[in-house]
Amino acid sequence: MFAVRIGEKGLVKRVGNLISPLVAGLGLEEAVRFERIKKEWSDIFREPLSLHTSPCSLKHGELLITVDSPVWHQQLIFLKGEILKNVSPFGVKDVRFRVGTVRTKTKGAPPNPPQKKIPLDRYSLQQIEETVSGLEDGPLKESIRKTMEKSLSARKVKA
């Protein structure tokens, strides 16, 4: 940390000690803490939790966390105490969860490889037909057929 000499007696204070009252006086202290939480999110919470959640806002000591699915939302309610323990060093006194779009940023994660459609061979088409042949519900049968075709025809392109 930087050091600054102040006064006649050479009193040395860290720059952080000088800036902290200024930040607090401007009402920016909570905003600074929230930015630190966002920056350190993947260190505060490891995968897979960090991939399914993101900090949304920090107001009056309450951290709002966005969760990408209702299943994760329910799981986090059970883990609320442990989550609060992890974020309390940032001045968080309570946490709330909401389902929404999660903005994840993983360290050094490669981008998703491009997908390429490949025509299905006769064997794959036969497997799909055998799988759906026992279904009587027409719309369900068609939905499962299309899903299987899409899944089998999408392949990752090798670099």
Side-chain angles (χ1 to χ4, degrees), residues 8 33 42-44 47 55 83 86 102 127 135 143 150 159:
E8 298 172 2
R33 288 195 319 247
S42 62
D43 293 326
I44 298 168
E47 292 181 12
I83 291 169
N86 286 4
V102 170
Q127 290 296 106
L135 298 172
S143 176
K150 186 174 180 179

Side-chain angles (χ1 to χ4, degrees), residues 2-158:
F2 300 104
V4 177
R5 291 194 175 268
I6 297 177
E8 298 172 2
K9 297 182 181 179
L11 177 64
V12 177
K13 286 191 174 186
R14 293 180 5 186
V15 170
N17 292 343
L18 296 172
I19 293 176
S20 292
L22 178 63
V23 169
L26 294 173
L28 300 174
E29 192 173 24
E30 199 164 64
V32 170
R33 288 195 319 247
F34 180 62
E35 287 303 314
R36 279 191 53 221
I37 290 170
K38 287 192 322 186
K39 181 180 175 191
E40 297 176 25
W41 192 253
S42 62
D43 293 326
I44 298 168
F45 299 106
R46 301 280 182 224
E47 292 181 12
L49 195 137
S50 65
L51 298 176
H52 295 278
T53 60
S54 64
C56 181
S57 66
L58 178 62
K59 291 182 183 165
H60 309 295
E62 180 181 73
L63 179 64
L64 178 61
I65 299 173
T66 303
V67 184
D68 66 0
S69 75
V71 173
W72 273 98
H73 183 267
Q74 186 63 39
Q75 182 66 27
L76 294 179
I77 290 171
F78 293 122
L79 297 172
K80 183 176 179 176
E82 190 162 332
I83 291 169
L84 186 55
K85 186 173 104 178
N86 286 4
V87 293
S88 64
F90 298 92
V92 177
K93 295 176 178 63
D94 194 17
V95 292
R96 265 189 322 122
F97 308 103
R98 73 166 188 181
V99 176
T101 302
V102 170
R103 312 245 185 259
T104 58
K105 185 171 78 171
T106 56
K107 294 179 181 175
N112 291 334
Q115 297 288 313
K116 174 181 161 185
K117 272 194 149 189
I118 327 177
L120 295 177
D121 60 8
R122 199 174 77 206
Y123 175 76
S124 296
L125 292 169
Q126 182 181 353
Q127 290 296 106
I128 292 170
E129 287 308 314
E130 287 176 13
T131 302
V132 299
S133 66
L135 298 172
E136 294 179 16
D137 184 335
L140 176 62
K141 187 177 195 174
E142 191 58 30
S143 176
I144 291 174
R145 177 184 288 119
K146 285 181 181 180
T147 302
M148 290 180 74
E149 286 174 359
K150 186 174 180 179
S151 174
L152 291 173
S153 69
R155 300 284 191 258
K156 292 181 181 176
V157 176
K158 293 183 180 178

